[in-house]
Amino acid sequence: ANTEAVFRHVLDQLEKALDQYKLERALELRDAAVQVERLCDGPDLAKRLRRLLARCAAAESDVKGALHHMQLHVRDLITQAEIVSDQSCEAFLRLALSLYAHGRNAAALRLCNAAVELAAEDRESWASFHSLQYLRGYIMATLGQLYAGLSLMEQYRNHTDGKDLNGQRWRIGLVMQMAGLLTFGEAFNYGEDGEIKAQFLLVFATWRGDADSMRRALDYYESSVVEPRPPLLFAHLARALLDAPDKPDALEKFEADCRRDFPGDGEDPDYVSARARIAIALGDKALARKLVRSLDQRLSDPAERCDMPVLAMGRHYRNVVELGMKGDIRERASDFFTRHVDLGYRCFAKLGD
């Protein structure tokens, strides 16, 4: 019993250190907790440790470790056949956010759906359930269920809280732009200023493709209201597209910047589509076609395709249209745009012709 009390105290201190972003202290307590666990037969405390180990790994940017510990913790919860508390629901939310952040969108949505089914009757009183439903709606909207997802987001947008509030609000801003419900100009005055807003403005500025939109989004990203200012793929893309008319090395500079800022992401679909887009702007259609066909071959795998957000797929097929490619690939591009305009994605209007 005494060991159990020590274990609980260490976990309390570990959680406190994580909440206060004291990473060095948290890692010391993590190591202590792992040692104490070996001396304590307390299954509930062991489950709590797994949840905190996931948070430690995430704080260290250890993606694989975070996912591993989160999956173990969620598996513990699933065996109970019901999510009975706000804290348990938060574990599902954290794992879904991690899966989404690393491109596993379909898995994140399945997890959200499972959590909704397992959550107890008093779930509407939990802040984490509101955030989970909001995230669920966002992923639905980005994977093709625009209006169902947007409806869920509208239902829960004013009930989300916590550190990701600005990100939560801006997720709906991106969906509204996809639906044609928020113009690019209006988006600058929508929601709170910050990194997430900058990212989504750059996403749509590069989709629009005109120099004024890209300069305006870059000016916002580089302004004092965006702090911290992490490197963003779409900031590099905007600069490259602006440079392309005068700088033949725009693609090489883009690739070098991305290798520096995003090592290991050379096969990311958005990166491949961006390289093709810059090649088109530079007039190198042969390279652009090669890149488009290589990505299209990957997307013939249903497992790869199911994780592709609608807008990312749209960037790929837009390159197909702009290159004037013929045959089956052009038919699939036209079908994609026509079908998604019918589903409400007004940002794709005119590309299905």
Side-chain angles (χ1 to χ4, degrees):
N2 187 48
T3 308
E4 189 171 314
V6 171
F7 193 12
R8 182 176 290 104
H9 176 72
V10 173
L11 293 178
D12 288 343
Q13 294 303 305
L14 171 56
E15 188 152 26
K16 182 178 178 181
L18 287 167
D19 289 342
Q20 295 176 346
Y21 302 101
K22 295 179 179 178
L23 181 57
E24 187 174 343
R25 173 65 174 157
L27 297 181
E28 291 174 356
L29 289 163
R30 174 200 64 185
D31 294 342
V34 170
Q35 293 298 323
V36 175
E37 183 195 18
R38 296 172 182 170
L39 306 173
C40 177
D41 183 21
D44 290 339
L45 293 177
K47 291 173 186 177
R48 185 182 174 196
L49 174 61
R50 278 196 277 275
R51 175 172 61 83
L52 295 175
L53 287 174
R55 290 184 63 184
C56 287
E60 286 189 291
S61 299
D62 177 5
V63 175
K64 287 184 178 179
L67 283 174
H68 171 71
H69 290 300
M70 285 179 187
Q71 286 166 336
L72 289 176
H73 181 54
V74 167
R75 194 176 304 158
D76 289 338
L77 296 171
I78 288 174
T79 60
Q80 299 172 8
E82 187 177 38
I83 303 171
V84 295
S85 69
D86 189 3
Q87 189 177 66
S88 297
C89 187
E90 184 181 330
F92 280 79
L93 173 62
R94 286 182 182 277
L95 179 54
L97 282 166
S98 292
L99 290 168
Y100 160 73
H102 297 98
R104 295 178 60 185
N105 301 300
L109 182 56
R110 287 195 299 271
L111 186 69
C112 288
N113 291 340
V116 171
E117 291 297 320
L118 291 170
E121 288 185 6
D122 62 341
R123 60 196 184 182
E124 293 291 346
S125 65
W126 308 338
S128 61
F129 184 77
H130 298 158
S131 294
L132 183 137
Q133 284 281 53
Y134 191 94
L135 176 66
R136 179 176 170 234
Y138 175 69
I139 299 174
M140 288 169 67
T142 59
L143 290 183
Q145 301 176 65
L146 179 67
Y147 289 127
L150 186 56
S151 175
L152 202 56
M153 295 177 82
E154 284 285 2
Q155 182 180 346
Y156 285 95
R157 65 183 298 190
N158 295 322
H159 301 285
T160 56
D161 61 2
K163 300 162 196 155
D164 194 39
L165 180 57
N166 181 43
Q168 294 278 31
R169 286 181 178 165
W170 253 97
R171 287 192 177 108
I172 201 170
L174 178 66
V175 173
M176 289 172 69
Q177 287 184 77
M178 288 195 293
L181 301 173
L182 184 71
T183 69
F184 182 70
E186 290 168 345
F188 283 86
N189 298 317
Y190 185 85
E192 298 173 18
D193 289 320
E195 167 197 344
I196 304 296
K197 181 172 177 175
Q199 180 171 338
F200 288 154
L201 288 172
L202 284 162
V203 165
F204 255 86
T206 52
W207 174 260
R208 289 164 63 87
D210 63 286
D212 287 345
S213 294
M214 291 189 289
R215 286 196 188 97
R216 189 176 175 191
L218 278 173
D219 286 346
Y220 178 85
Y221 168 64
E222 293 167 354
S223 71
S224 59
V225 300
V226 180
E227 186 63 42
R229 189 177 304 115
L232 297 174
L233 173 72
F234 291 96
H236 292 323
L237 174 58
R239 292 190 192 100
L241 292 173
L242 288 169
D243 286 347
D246 305 310
K247 298 182 180 178
D249 65 343
L251 179 57
E252 286 82 355
K253 184 177 186 306
F254 171 80
E255 291 170 338
D257 288 342
C258 289
R259 280 195 300 271
R260 179 195 67 221
D261 292 334
F262 318 111
D265 280 0
E267 297 302 313
D268 178 72
D270 279 336
Y271 174 65
V272 178
S273 288
R275 290 172 65 208
R277 178 90 179 276
I278 299 164
I280 292 170
L282 290 169
D284 191 346
K285 290 190 174 182
L287 174 59
R289 286 193 187 94
K290 180 180 178 181
L291 291 166
V292 167
R293 291 196 182 281
S294 70
L295 180 55
D296 199 65
Q297 180 64 36
R298 282 173 54 193
L299 294 177
S300 66
D301 178 357
E304 183 111 24
R305 194 168 60 247
C306 75
D307 278 328
M308 279 283 281
V310 165
L311 199 53
M313 193 71 85
R315 284 190 283 268
H316 167 60
Y317 281 133
R318 179 183 183 165
N319 288 336
V320 171
V321 173
E322 293 194 352
L323 284 166
M325 299 174 78
K326 306 295 183 184
D328 180 61
I329 191 172
R330 177 55 184 263
E331 289 180 13
R332 279 185 280 112
S334 296
D335 176 69
F336 171 86
F337 288 123
T338 300
R339 184 160 37 89
H340 282 83
V341 168
D342 288 344
L343 289 170
Y345 295 86
R346 301 303 302 165
C347 61
F348 296 146
K350 300 181 181 178
L351 283 166
D353 302 334

